[in-house]
Amino acid sequence: MNRSNPKLEEFARRHGYSSFQEMLLDRLRQRQLAQPEEDEADQPEELYEEEEYEDEEQPGEWEEAEREILRQIEELLDRFPDIENPESLREEGLSAVARMKGGADTLALWQRIRPVGLGLSDAFLLVNLEDILARQREAAWQAAVSSLAGRAHLLPAAGGALDDPPVPGSVFQWYRALNPNVPEQDIRAHYHRAKRKK
């Protein structure tokens, strides 16, 4: 079994040890204290071999911890699909999370909130809430601007018929006499078009 596995090292750090090797040595010391004294020269080697045998026989807490970490990372990626380099998160686990913006704070917060049933994605949200809200506001703003830009052709053009000065009274009466059902807006538009042509 490879003892320098980064996931095992991370698991040991989460349990308060500086390395996986230190965690193993501590477990050996605890076993030695729990067992009645035997031949001390043979005991550490036998315990280490027994530890190896137990790890290979039982898919114990190491595999469960690794599955839990992967499940938490998948939940994080499902909840925040815009996270960069999702494959490095899947491959490297919590060490990749630690390198993200606010990653160390996310992991520290997750340690505190995990006992109450909150996940890594919850910790990420709490640590990065301001950035997430800012990105959402920016996306909403861009969507609104794009929507308006797509409808700009429907807006009246500057300098249109409504911006022109009114038609003189006698001319307006003449237009109205010729076409009594034409709206005022059309009369103004025709009058100013004819005036510009002259």
Side-chain angles (χ1 to χ4, degrees), residues 68-85:
E68 175 62 17
I69 289 170
L70 290 174
R71 189 183 70 73
Q72 290 290 331
I73 287 175
E74 287 301 324
E75 183 181 309
L76 175 69
L77 293 172
D78 287 344
R79 194 167 176 188
F80 302 102
D82 59 338
I83 289 179
E84 295 178 6
N85 300 325

Side-chain angles (χ1 to χ4, degrees), residues 94 96-108 120 124 127-128:
L94 296 180
V97 173
R99 289 193 307 269
M100 293 169 50
K101 181 180 180 187
D105 293 335
T106 298
L107 292 175
L120 181 63
F124 180 81
V127 168
N128 297 293

Side-chain angles (χ1 to χ4, degrees), residues 5-62:
N5 185 327
K7 292 177 182 174
L8 296 179
E9 295 292 329
E10 182 64 37
F11 180 80
R13 280 194 291 279
R14 285 195 346 252
H15 285 83
Y17 297 95
S18 63
S19 68
F20 180 74
Q21 187 66 30
E22 181 186 339
M23 186 176 188
L24 283 180
L25 291 175
D26 185 51
R27 288 180 69 188
L28 288 173
R29 279 192 290 272
Q30 289 174 3
R31 282 190 176 189
Q32 286 174 347
L33 293 174
Q35 290 181 354
E37 288 191 26
E38 296 175 5
D39 183 14
E40 291 183 10
D42 294 335
Q43 195 172 9
E45 188 174 316
E46 289 173 6
L47 286 175
Y48 188 75
E49 289 172 6
E50 185 178 320
E51 184 75 27
E52 287 272 325
Y53 180 75
E54 285 179 8
D55 283 347
E56 290 173 8
E57 282 293 311
Q58 303 172 1
E61 61 185 78
W62 306 115

